[in-house]
Amino acid sequence: KESLAFAEVLGLVSDPRRKAIRSFLQVDPSDPTYEYHSGGIIETLENLNKEFVEEKRTLDADWAETKKTYEDSIASLNKKMDENSKAMDQLEEGSERLKGEIAEAR
């Protein structure tokens, strides 16, 4: 309680936090109802943690699939670009050869 008063004097605690801290400090931990309520809170937090862990696992799996699809697409596009570049080189060589043949024929 003294620390809260000190923090209030220094202006380190905002109004919403001050109210929450004061209500927390008014609870007697030795009171059996405190134990009962904290058990429910702990259970809720554990359930939330399980849900978040499962959600993260699902999102990580989705991300891995998305990343693999992306990497496969990039590899496929790079392969197509290489094939097209080779085809263009061959067409250019053929074009040069035909120009030479046409020049000789004249």
Side-chain angles (χ1 to χ4, degrees):
K1 289 182 180 182
E2 292 173 11
S3 296
L4 177 60
F6 186 67
E8 286 176 341
V9 168
L10 293 175
L12 299 175
V13 180
S14 63
D15 284 336
R17 286 187 178 164
R18 182 180 309 126
K19 291 176 185 176
I21 293 169
R22 284 181 187 233
S23 65
F24 178 74
L25 291 174
Q26 291 174 357
V27 175
D28 180 9
S30 62
D31 184 4
T33 58
Y34 174 80
E35 181 69 30
Y36 170 76
H37 288 296
S38 66
I41 293 170
I42 290 171
E43 182 180 340
T44 300
L45 291 174
E46 287 173 346
N47 289 337
L48 283 172
N49 185 45
K50 287 178 188 176
E51 289 176 22
F52 288 142
V53 167
E54 184 58 35
E55 174 97 13
K56 183 179 183 322
R57 192 174 294 129
T58 300
L59 291 173
D60 286 346
D62 290 348
W63 172 248
E65 186 176 325
T66 300
K67 185 177 178 186
K68 182 176 179 350
T69 302
Y70 160 77
E71 290 171 347
D72 291 347
S73 294
I74 293 296
S76 174
L77 290 171
N78 283 334
K79 181 180 176 185
K80 287 179 183 179
M81 286 174 48
D82 288 343
E83 290 170 356
N84 287 339
S85 179
K86 288 176 185 175
M88 287 172 45
D89 289 344
Q90 288 175 351
L91 289 173
E92 194 172 305
E93 289 172 8
S95 174
E96 291 299 320
R97 185 179 40 91
L98 286 175
K99 284 181 186 176
E101 289 176 6
I102 291 172
E104 285 179 16
R106 288 188 180 176

